[in-house]
Amino acid sequence: MADAASQVLLGSGLTILSQPLMYVKVLIQVGYEPLPPTIGRNIFGRQVCQLPGLFCYAQHIASIDGKRGLFTGLTPRLCSGVLGTVVHGKVLQDLGPGNVQKEVTPSFDQVIKETTREMMARSAATLITHPFHVITLRSMVQFIGRESKYCGLYDSIVTIYREEGILGFFAGLIPRLLGDIISLWLCNSLAYLVNTYALDSGVSTMSEMKSYSQAVTGFFASMLTYPFVLVSNLMAVNNCGLAGGCPPYSPIYTSWIDCWCMLQKEGNMSRGNSLFFRKVPFGKTYCCDLRMLT
């Protein structure tokens, strides 16, 4: 019980701290670019026409809604985090204890068993908390059209149910689930391969090295599965009555596969993945003096 409470408190704290970052990221994902590009340098030192990064974007939001506006959507996101932690822990408990023996290099069968166990717990948590995730995204995206359709948690639930029914609470669920599952299996499989075949078991700091490899493979897996996150978020706000879910910011998609294909065709599968050194997205026109780049 104490461990669960500490996880909830820690998770809630991280959620609060990261809320402005997620807010900016979501608005970028839907294609909202209120600020013109500037002449800057990329990581290689070359002059490029790039869009403002996280801090300039956040400053723009704060100039309109104040610093408090950077925490729009925090309440449903906190509810999602707390409920997700509880459900995840409960499912793991119901599935029984994992591997009691903490071996430095677990067997492949143990990796499959633990990954399957974790997949079931994460999927259950995602399924239960997705309605709060949808409300969070829509409350953020309404900044674009200055709407007030999704302000309170209760009012948002009533609005979604009245306009879209039960299915409205699960908009974008399939790509989100697929992304989580693929990312988990990629991370654990790559970590197992690296720990088993690439690291020398005789090294005295083996446990530390393998914990680092787990973090690196996790980051790599999240990068590969980012398109699922993008598509899920776009589908959660698509055609929901908000300006940010309709053209010109977002086409009306018939399905998440249609969304995926269109983003892939435009070369926008990584839109919002980076909050710094941002290139001008496809289909956007700005008054940028290209003569300064020569």
Side-chain angles (χ1 to χ4, degrees):
M1 183 64 69
D3 291 340
S6 62
Q7 289 179 2
V8 169
L9 289 175
L10 178 60
S12 298
L14 293 175
T15 297
I16 295 173
L17 292 176
S18 65
Q19 182 67 14
L21 186 148
M22 181 183 177
Y23 194 6
V24 171
K25 193 180 190 74
V26 168
L27 292 180
I28 293 175
Q29 286 176 336
V30 299
Y32 180 61
E33 298 293 349
L35 303 174
T38 57
I39 304 302
R41 296 184 181 275
N42 59 17
I43 58 177
F44 301 106
R46 180 182 177 184
Q47 277 194 332
V48 292
C49 190
Q50 61 187 19
L51 291 166
L54 168 65
F55 299 111
C56 291
Y57 209 121
Q59 188 176 16
H60 171 74
I61 296 174
S63 67
I64 297 176
D65 289 340
K67 293 182 179 179
R68 185 177 179 180
L70 292 171
F71 295 89
T72 298
L74 178 59
T75 299
R77 191 174 174 220
L78 281 173
C79 293
S80 176
V82 172
L83 184 59
T85 300
V86 174
V87 172
H88 181 271
K90 179 63 176 176
V91 172
L92 288 179
Q93 183 179 3
D94 291 342
L95 291 175
N99 291 326
V100 178
Q101 297 180 346
K102 298 295 182 180
E103 302 179 15
V104 176
T105 304
S107 66
F108 187 61
D109 289 340
Q110 288 176 323
V111 172
I112 293 179
K113 181 179 178 180
E114 287 300 310
T115 304
T116 302
R117 185 169 173 267
E118 180 66 19
M119 178 188 69
M120 295 176 66
R122 287 193 188 184
S123 298
T126 299
L127 181 65
I128 296 298
T129 61
H130 193 74
F132 294 101
H133 181 67
V134 171
I135 295 174
T136 299
L137 295 175
R138 294 186 181 184
S139 63
M140 293 176 173
V141 169
Q142 66 184 1
F143 173 85
I144 299 173
R146 308 306 297 164
E147 297 107 335
S148 58
K149 190 175 181 180
Y150 300 94
C151 286
L153 182 59
Y154 175 77
D155 290 340
S156 299
I157 293 174
V158 172
T159 299
I160 294 176
Y161 182 76
R162 183 177 63 246
E163 296 184 357
E164 304 172 56
I166 295 296
L167 293 180
F169 293 103
F170 299 96
L173 174 63
I174 295 178
R176 187 183 178 198
L177 275 176
L178 287 176
D180 286 345
I181 293 173
I182 294 173
S183 177
L184 176 63
W185 281 96
L186 271 177
C187 174
N188 289 359
S189 298
L190 289 174
Y192 170 77
L193 292 175
V194 171
N195 294 340
T196 304
Y197 301 106
L199 297 179
D200 185 3
S201 299
V203 179
S204 59
T205 58
M206 181 53 54
S207 59
E208 289 81 0
M209 290 289 293
K210 293 190 174 182
S211 65
Y212 294 150
S213 70
Q214 184 79 19
V216 171
T217 55
F219 175 78
F220 181 69
S222 65
M223 292 288 290
L224 289 179
T225 56
Y226 176 77
F228 289 96
V229 176
L230 176 61
V231 170
S232 174
N233 288 353
L234 290 180
M235 292 305 298
V237 302
N238 192 245
N239 198 25
C240 65
L242 298 176
C246 300
Y249 301 107
S250 175
I252 304 300
Y253 303 113
T254 57
S255 66
W256 72 270
I257 297 178
D258 177 43
C259 176
W260 181 290
C261 293
M262 191 169 297
L263 289 173
Q264 191 173 47
K265 182 179 179 181
E266 296 173 349
N268 284 331
M269 295 299 286
S270 61
R271 187 172 66 195
N273 192 23
S274 174
L275 298 179
F276 302 96
F277 304 108
R278 301 175 51 233
K279 65 179 182 179
V280 177
F282 178 87
K284 293 287 183 179
T285 303
Y286 297 94
C287 296
C288 181
D289 191 354
L290 297 179
R291 291 174 298 179
M292 298 180 64
L293 300 178
T294 58

